[in-house]
Structure formats: structure tokens, C-alpha cells
Amino acid sequence: MKQQKLMLKLNKEHNFHLSLKVIQFSEVSLLYEFNEFLKDKNIYSKVIVNDVTYEQLQEAYSEKKVVLCDKNITLLLPLVCVISNDDFSIVKPCIPTYYHLKDNRIIQNLKTLCHKQNITFTSFKTKNELFTQILSSFMKGENND
């Protein structure tokens, strides 16, 4: 019921949450590592895990922050989904998927899922490569306000 009220409020506010730059992570620990990476680059972000509130979204929108969310946040539309474990619940059609995995069986399952849904996917050997790619692809101009 809480999420339904939030949706109604966002609808009245012209769904501003859809214009946020959102990166969704399958694993919270990787989300926090990326948040630290952004802090080192002086890029401001808003971390949203487990539950989202209108105030959090309003703050991220008004301050033009990048939103980093975990797999539990279904309300936001991510620019990219980052997979680092065997939970593929955040993989969405038309949203690119980046992955940092070591287990070939999990990689094959992810590739099969992406092929079936026609989703682009990219592999990264190191976290630093992954973070650098996200930064260069989706955060251009964020620090030039």
C-alpha cells in the first residue's frame, strides 16, 4: 500500500523519478564500493536500499544526484543493471546489463537470459573496469554543474 501511495504522489508530480540517472546493483556491497568510487571522483550520489521514499527521490532530483539502488527497488528505471551474483531479478528488457562474475555456469545462465530477452550485456574482469565504464558511459557532465 505504501508503494501505491508513492506512485500516486509521483504521478501528480509528473513522474519526475523517471528522469533520474539510476544504476541498479544486484549486490549491496558492490553498490557501496561504487558509491565510494564516485566520492573519490567528487560525484554526488544518493544510495537507496530496501525501501524508497518520496523525499529521497525529490532530493536526488533537485540536487541532480546519481541514484544507486539495490535489487529491492522496483519503482525506478535504471540506465544499467549491474550483476555480480546469481540473482538476475534486476535484469530488464531494453536495459543494458553489466556483469562482474567469475562462475562460468552463472555467466552462461545470464547470457541465455539476455539472449532470450534481447538484452545487451557486457562482461568486466575487474571492478575498476566496471566502475570506469559506468562512469564514462552514464555520468558524463555530472560534475560540471
Side-chain angles (χ1 to χ4, degrees):
M1 190 63 147
K2 183 179 175 183
Q3 188 167 355
Q4 188 176 13
K5 287 182 182 178
L6 178 58
M7 287 295 297
L8 290 172
K9 193 169 187 176
L10 289 169
N11 285 340
K12 289 179 185 174
E13 297 293 324
H14 305 292
N15 292 311
F16 69 86
H17 67 292
L18 296 176
S19 65
L20 295 171
K21 287 189 175 184
V22 178
I23 311 297
Q24 190 169 29
F25 291 83
S26 66
E27 204 172 9
V28 176
S29 60
L30 190 62
L31 180 151
Y32 284 113
E33 286 182 49
F34 185 64
N35 188 42
E36 289 301 315
F37 179 81
L38 291 178
K39 281 182 184 176
D40 292 343
K41 304 285 186 192
N42 294 321
I43 297 174
Y44 301 104
S45 61
K46 180 73 176 170
V47 174
I48 301 176
V49 292
N50 296 325
D51 198 17
V52 62
T53 64
Y54 179 82
E55 290 75 23
Q56 289 173 318
L57 297 175
Q58 184 63 39
E59 176 190 343
Y61 180 74
S62 64
E63 297 178 14
K64 297 183 179 177
K65 290 183 176 179
V66 176
V67 176
L68 307 178
C69 67
D70 69 346
K71 64 182 179 181
N72 299 318
I73 308 300
T74 58
L75 180 70
L76 301 176
L77 183 63
L79 294 172
V80 66
C81 299
V82 181
I83 304 290
S84 57
N85 59 20
D86 62 349
D87 183 0
F88 304 151
S89 63
I90 65 169
V91 176
K92 297 170 180 60
C94 302
I95 307 293
T97 299
Y98 290 175
Y99 66 92
H100 175 67
L101 296 165
K102 302 212 183 309
D103 187 335
N104 283 332
R105 210 170 334 143
I106 297 172
I107 292 170
Q108 279 309 117
N109 290 339
L110 177 63
K111 286 181 176 182
T112 301
L113 175 69
C114 289
H115 283 301
K116 284 181 179 178
Q117 296 184 12
N118 201 22
I119 299 169
T120 60
F121 57 91
T122 308
S123 170
F124 294 93
K125 300 289 183 207
T126 66
K127 291 177 186 177
N128 192 43
E129 286 177 3
L130 171 67
F131 295 164
T132 304
Q133 178 61 37
I134 294 171
L135 187 65
S136 67
S137 296
F138 301 107
M139 309 303 171
K140 291 178 183 171
E142 274 301 304
N143 206 17
N144 300 332
D145 290 336

